[in-house]
Amino acid sequence: MILRRSLLIGAAALAMASGAPAAFAQEEPLKVGFIYVGPVGDFGWSYQHDQGRLALEKEFGDRVQTTYVESVPEGPDAERVLRQLATSGHKLIFATSFGFGDATAKIAKAFPDVKFEHATGYIRDVNLATYSGRFEEGRYILGVIAGKTTTSNKIGYIGAFPIPEVLRGVNAFTLGLQSVNPEATVSVVWANTWYDPGKEADAANAVIAQGADVIAQHTDSPAPLQAAENAGNVKVFGQASDMIQFAPTAQLTAIVDDWAPYYIGRVQAVLDGTWESQDHWGGLAAGDVHMAPYTNMPDEVKALAEETQAKIASGELNIFSGPISDRDGTERVAAGEALDDAAQLEMNWFVKGVQGDLPK
């Protein structure tokens, strides 16, 4: 059962839900809070995090009580929401967007008895952990598929903001693309939003008008998929969840973020008294990232995608192994070497073959 009440955070809505096991030496249920940058109905990033929250309720029953706040802007509103969650009895709080980082770090210091987790972040403290998925592994596979699918050799890529997470995705996609089709290029259009169907549709239609016949996205609504489906001759990839319902003939596959195992494990750690600050970064091998079914493509392309996926998951293929040069010609990764995690977390450059502005 989901109960709704209001928070003093502008237009953001607070939803409260109960569910999940007991334990952490308490009679009251463990209160777990979630803060989302988009609506839970975006069918993308926030939707998948909320699926993880719902999995908590199913797993733990009445041992936990979950609360979520959706559509929270990255800025002062995030700090207010986090503070209200911390002062209302929540002992574990998940902040699920990169732009919540500073606010989460500040509130974590103010509430040392509350445990915080920040998705895609890098600031940690004794009561503040970070976690993410290696989505770039999936984006490399998308690039391979795009390289074998395109006939125009023009790929459109809709990005949210030029942060390392998004740049890693663009670069991984382009490296996968060029591994099978060195002539193809990627044109990046910045939507400057995580979720705005109108802006995302405009960006998709713009790259289609420029000749792109495959579209990838790092924004959260299905609008680019619907634009591709309406175009009739454009293929597309889903974002964060399987979006095939919005583009039944255009979607080739999608990267699916599965947060449920992580959320269940971290709640169990709190209940057991074993929670510690950490940095978790799981990919295909860990199961944090899945690929939706490979559809609307020739069998040989599907087989190549499956082979690539298996090589990445096994460790045979490191997607950021050298030689890699940026688009200015500077060697970023030498032959025989690979980009380590620290360098990936600070990525602020495009690989060769990426077109479009790179705001500083």
Side-chain angles (χ1 to χ4, degrees), residues 315-335:
E316 180 181 350
L317 172 59
N318 184 319
I319 63 172
F320 286 123
S321 59
I324 300 174
S325 295
D326 65 24
R327 65 178 182 181
D328 296 323
T330 302
E331 184 178 74
R332 295 287 185 161
V333 187

Side-chain angles (χ1 to χ4, degrees), residues 2-39:
I2 296 180
L3 305 175
R4 294 194 178 274
R5 59 189 174 87
S6 62
L7 275 178
L8 300 177
I9 54 168
L14 175 68
M16 189 173 252
S18 327
F24 106 128
Q26 97 276 9
E27 296 180 3
E28 299 276 325
L30 172 66
K31 295 182 73 174
V32 184
F34 292 80
I35 173 175
Y36 304 142
V37 71

Side-chain angles (χ1 to χ4, degrees), residues 24-342:
F24 106 128
Q26 97 276 9
E27 296 180 3
E28 299 276 325
L30 172 66
K31 295 182 73 174
V32 184
F34 292 80
I35 173 175
Y36 304 142
V37 71
V40 295
D42 67 2
F43 291 99
W45 179 261
S46 294
Y47 170 82
Q48 281 299 109
H49 281 284
D50 201 57
Q51 293 299 297
R53 180 188 67 82
L54 293 172
L56 285 181
E57 296 182 343
K58 182 177 181 180
E59 177 72 16
F60 292 105
D62 59 8
R63 296 176 68 192
V64 304
Q65 178 178 314
T66 70
T67 301
Y68 71 85
V69 187
E70 60 185 335
S71 301
V72 179
E74 296 174 324
D77 280 346
E79 184 177 328
R80 288 196 291 272
V81 172
L82 288 164
R83 185 180 297 277
Q84 182 150 356
L85 289 172
T87 57
S88 58
H90 294 82
K91 294 302 182 182
L92 176 61
I93 299 172
F94 293 97
T96 66
S97 190
F98 178 82
F100 295 154
D102 290 342
T104 305
K106 180 178 179 179
I107 299 302
K109 285 189 177 297
F111 294 88
D113 294 332
V114 178
K115 296 171 176 60
F116 295 83
E117 304 239 3
H118 180 214
T120 72
Y122 59 90
I123 304 172
R124 284 176 292 284
D125 207 334
V126 65
N127 66 327
L128 171 57
T130 54
Y131 64 104
S132 188
R134 295 185 184 273
F135 317 113
E136 57 274 6
E137 293 180 348
R139 295 189 189 280
Y140 186 96
I141 299 169
L142 302 188
V144 170
I145 296 169
K148 287 294 188 180
T149 302
T150 182
T151 58
S152 69
N153 283 339
K154 294 181 179 180
I155 312 299
Y157 200 110
I158 304 167
F161 300 99
I163 61 174
E165 174 195 344
V166 177
L167 298 181
R168 282 199 309 275
V170 173
N171 287 340
F173 179 91
T174 305
L175 291 171
L177 174 78
Q178 294 182 340
S179 73
V180 297
N181 186 346
E183 303 303 315
T185 59
V186 176
S187 295
V188 177
V189 176
W190 297 108
N192 295 310
T193 181
W194 290 114
Y195 177 81
D196 187 321
K199 289 182 178 179
E200 294 173 68
D202 288 345
N205 288 322
V207 294
I208 292 172
Q210 294 167 5
D213 60 357
V214 181
I215 298 175
Q217 69 182 89
H218 201 141
T219 54
D220 295 335
S221 89
L225 286 92
Q226 294 169 314
E229 184 76 13
N230 292 336
N233 60 345
V234 177
K235 298 301 182 183
V236 69
F237 300 104
Q239 157 71 7
S241 72
D242 187 354
M243 295 180 168
I244 190 70
Q245 61 180 306
F246 299 100
T249 67
Q251 179 178 289
L252 296 166
T253 185
I255 300 170
V256 179
D257 309 337
D258 186 1
W259 302 108
Y262 183 78
Y263 286 155
I264 290 170
R266 296 302 274 170
V267 166
Q268 187 66 61
V270 173
L271 294 172
D272 293 342
T274 59
W275 187 98
E276 293 182 350
S277 178
Q278 65 173 24
D279 180 34
H280 174 83
W281 202 4
L284 291 167
D288 296 46
V289 177
H290 300 290
M291 302 304 295
Y294 298 114
T295 58
N296 297 316
M297 65 183 73
D299 289 343
E300 60 269 22
V301 178
K302 177 181 178 181
L304 179 59
E306 292 172 338
E307 178 185 349
T308 304
Q309 179 178 343
K311 287 181 177 180
I312 294 173
S314 70
E316 180 181 350
L317 172 59
N318 184 319
I319 63 172
F320 286 123
S321 59
I324 300 174
S325 295
D326 65 24
R327 65 178 182 181
D328 296 323
T330 302
E331 184 178 74
R332 295 287 185 161
V333 187
E337 298 181 0
L339 207 61
D340 62 23
D341 287 353

